[in-house]
Amino acid sequence: MKVPVGAVVTVDLWNQARGNGMVRHEAGTLDLVRADSEFSLNKGDRAIVISSTDNYVKVIPKDSYSEILAPGTVEPRIDLLALRIKAILESAIGSTGGILALPAILKDFGSSSLKALVSIDHIRKACKIKDKPFDEIHQDGEHYLAIKQSEAYMDGATVLGLFKGKEFMSEAELKITLHWADVRLARVLSHLLRTGLLRKDVSYKDGTRYFLPGRV
């Protein structure tokens, strides 16, 4: 019996130490098939077949990552990949403001069930879909993906909160206080300036300074 690639199977017996065991195809067969995986699995877990020969399969866990694979293939659906990228960015809101360079996003997939199944080219394809659920930022030769600006309101509130009781803050002060990556700080400052929540002054004497409207 040969189980099709992309089929969903159920783990029947599994040896965690050796990473192999037996799985049952969910198409109704009562036959068990030998399987191995580099991922931890337990009896009753569902898994997806990524390669198959007679009476043998290699599987990965069926989870929120592997569910983006197109049925019957080991290729990710690009629309679902874009949504998974958005989830990765959302998980990084606290640490990076929801901004990650493409290699960092690829690294996340590389530590998931989709290890070796998602490439940088897949991620670039996700950047080209219509109405993608994230923003792109190009800065200093780097390509970043970010949560939508409308979802990054906490960063704006954090920056504005620093001006309490202050007439102005220099760019250097903001960098020292926040310890944010330049791309994160530049994005939020650009948004606050564009929406009129901050004003900017640049001079040879004082450098770059930011003010709340009406303060100066």
Side-chain angles (χ1 to χ4, degrees), residues 17-74:
R18 288 168 29 184
N20 60 22
M22 305 294 288
V23 298
R24 192 185 305 277
H25 187 199
E26 292 191 354
T29 178
L30 297 179
D31 294 327
L32 295 177
V33 180
R34 292 184 299 109
D36 69 29
S37 178
E38 59 184 291
F39 300 93
S40 178
L41 292 167
N42 295 294
K43 181 178 176 63
D45 286 351
R46 296 202 299 167
I48 296 175
V49 175
I50 60 171
S51 66
S52 177
T53 58
D54 287 342
N55 297 310
Y56 167 81
V57 293
K58 186 172 183 179
V59 299
I60 59 175
K62 189 176 190 298
D63 57 19
S64 59
Y65 281 86
S66 61
E67 285 181 341
I68 74 171
L69 295 177
T73 76
V74 291

Side-chain angles (χ1 to χ4, degrees), residues 29-138:
T29 178
L30 297 179
D31 294 327
L32 295 177
V33 180
R34 292 184 299 109
D36 69 29
S37 178
E38 59 184 291
F39 300 93
S40 178
L41 292 167
N42 295 294
K43 181 178 176 63
D45 286 351
R46 296 202 299 167
I48 296 175
V49 175
I50 60 171
S51 66
S52 177
T53 58
D54 287 342
N55 297 310
Y56 167 81
V57 293
K58 186 172 183 179
V59 299
I60 59 175
K62 189 176 190 298
D63 57 19
S64 59
Y65 281 86
S66 61
E67 285 181 341
I68 74 171
L69 295 177
T73 76
V74 291
E75 280 290 310
R77 275 182 49 181
I78 300 303
D79 58 334
L80 297 181
L81 175 63
L83 292 175
R84 189 67 236 170
I85 290 172
K86 179 187 178 184
I88 293 170
L89 296 172
E90 288 174 338
S91 71
I93 287 177
S95 57
T96 72
I99 304 171
L100 292 171
L102 262 61
I105 294 171
L106 183 62
K107 183 178 179 181
D108 186 284
F109 281 108
S111 61
S112 76
S113 58
L114 291 180
K115 180 180 180 180
L117 296 180
V118 170
S119 69
I120 199 73
D121 287 337
H122 289 125
I123 295 172
R124 290 194 177 106
K125 286 180 181 178
C127 294
K128 296 179 180 178
I129 67 172
K130 184 179 180 182
D131 299 326
K132 59 182 178 288
F134 50 80
D135 291 334
E136 293 182 78
I137 302 172
H138 295 272

